[in-house]
Amino acid sequence: MSDLSRTVPQELLPSDDLHPQPMPVINLGHLSLDSATRCRVVDDIAKACRDLGYFQVINHGISQSVMDCALEAASDFFKLPSETKEKFASEDLRRPVRYDTSSKDSISMSRAFLKHYAHPLSEWIQYWPQQPPIYRKYMGKYASEVRMVALQLMEAIVEGLGLGQEYLNEKFHEGSQLLSVNCYPKASQSATTIGLAPHSDYGFLTILLTSCGGLEVVDPSSKIWKRVQQLPHALHVHIGDHMEVLSNGRMKTVVHRALLNPEEARISIASIHGFALNEKVTCAKELVDEENPPKYKESSFSDFLDHLKANMDNKHRNFLESLRM
Ligand code: OGA
Ligand code: NI
């Protein structure tokens, strides 16, 4: 498997590849304190979203045991015999559950992944793996709790954009949640290898839980790769394509990738939050005026899946570019 992974070109290495770069850490519990404290946190989140597009959250209300159990369920799934896992293999991007051992980009060949929808949970959980027996229970618990974190963050982010706490509330509540559960082998050579090629996520935001370091994000001002710090009990959050559209470019989608960890195999669970499948995302009309004409065409999650299907073999399958006016 490892001979298929590609070495990271030297020029793409982060400038400081010894130390993970510090990034903003938001204490989410402070959102529900008095209104002055809430305002400060909303401002901190808005600043992180505008300047960087990524930050981490602590005190998010998900217990360590719920996070550990979800990682354990994922890890146990990937340890199953190939025949069991391959029952979920499908080329059809619209299948409720999809397993694969490689991306189709010819860059990141060493990742195995399971993708499935998670909201509404009662609708989708029946399709999830029944092996390992703990999978549905543990992953379901984490999925519903991480969705609560996403809703709080969406509320804070739209407020920070000046759109008011209740803006699009219903559409977010009825929105989609896609879990991308990834398993990367330990790096087998001394050279750094890519586990997941650079890309941005289509949704409004992604919340990522990982078992160890390996995630990197492009710093928007310096354009260099930054290692994402692995803080105890923290979750990593980044902005996706649809947030860039909604904010009419005030917030930028985050290009990120995963490197193989030299010390251990790595599990990550990315929870991607968007509108319902056919709900169109447009630039918020409140953020559009003569000086700021709409920068992007409207699109839905379903349009994203169509775009992906049409560009399956293309390394540059950039959805956001296709939306630019
Ligand atoms: C993803 C993703 C990063 C990681 O699944 O979209 O970016 O660290 N994962 O696995
Ligand atoms: Ni991603």
Side-chain angles (χ1 to χ4, degrees), residues 222-240:
S222 62
K223 305 283 181 222
I224 60 166
W225 288 107
K226 263 188 161 191
R227 274 193 192 190
V228 169
Q229 62 200 2
Q230 188 78 7
L231 295 179
H233 200 56
L235 292 167
H236 174 81
V237 180
H238 57 230
I239 295 302

Side-chain angles (χ1 to χ4, degrees), residues 111 180 182 184 196 199 201 208 210 215 256 258 266 268 270:
R111 173 180 73 137
S180 166
N182 305 295
Y184 305 93
L196 176 57
H199 67 282
D201 297 339
L208 204 86
T210 61
L215 179 68
H256 55 283
R266 178 168 176 270
S268 72

Side-chain angles (χ1 to χ4, degrees), residues 75-234:
S75 172
D76 287 355
F77 172 80
F78 290 109
K79 284 182 199 144
L80 293 172
S82 302
E83 314 86 77
T84 313
K85 293 182 285 194
E86 272 157 18
K87 291 202 182 96
F88 295 100
S90 171
E91 297 278 300
D92 179 1
L93 297 176
R94 288 164 191 273
R95 281 286 285 267
V97 181
R98 214 156 52 82
Y99 168 80
D100 205 344
T101 50
S102 74
S103 304
K104 303 283 177 280
D105 56 24
S106 78
I107 297 174
S108 44
M109 307 298 281
S110 51
R111 173 180 73 137
F113 67 81
L114 185 70
K115 291 190 189 212
H116 52 64
Y117 298 110
H119 180 74
L121 192 60
S122 56
E123 187 179 318
W124 298 116
I125 201 165
Q126 57 183 313
Y127 303 107
W128 291 12
Q130 279 179 298
Q131 291 297 327
I134 55 167
Y135 191 89
R136 290 184 179 182
K137 182 170 166 212
Y138 287 177
M139 197 58 78
K141 177 104 177 117
Y142 175 72
S144 52
E145 294 199 8
V146 79
R147 188 171 160 269
M148 291 303 139
V149 175
L151 289 174
Q152 285 182 64
L153 284 170
M154 280 309 303
E155 224 176 63
I157 292 170
V158 295
E159 196 178 336
L161 281 168
L163 300 172
Q165 240 186 79
E166 297 297 307
Y167 192 85
L168 295 177
N169 211 15
E170 213 170 297
K171 286 186 181 168
F172 291 128
H173 276 263
E174 286 165 8
S176 60
Q177 177 183 15
L178 175 68
L179 288 190
S180 166
V181 184
N182 305 295
C183 178
Y184 305 93
K186 177 178 156 177
S188 58
Q189 304 133 299
S190 51
T192 328
T193 48
I194 297 182
L196 176 57
H199 67 282
S200 60
D201 297 339
Y202 80 90
F204 292 108
L205 50 88
T206 298
I207 303 182
L208 204 86
L209 167 64
T210 61
S211 65
C212 62
L215 179 68
E216 294 195 341
V217 289
V218 172
D219 177 71
S221 47
S222 62
K223 305 283 181 222
I224 60 166
W225 288 107
K226 263 188 161 191
R227 274 193 192 190
V228 169
Q229 62 200 2
Q230 188 78 7
L231 295 179
H233 200 56

Side-chain angles (χ1 to χ4, degrees), residues 238-257:
H238 57 230
I239 295 302
D241 297 349
H242 271 157
M243 188 69 88
E244 183 164 334
V245 172
L246 180 76
S247 71
N248 198 20
R250 282 169 175 75
M251 294 173 177
K252 304 279 188 231
T253 196
V254 175
V255 176
H256 55 283
R257 67 178 180 182

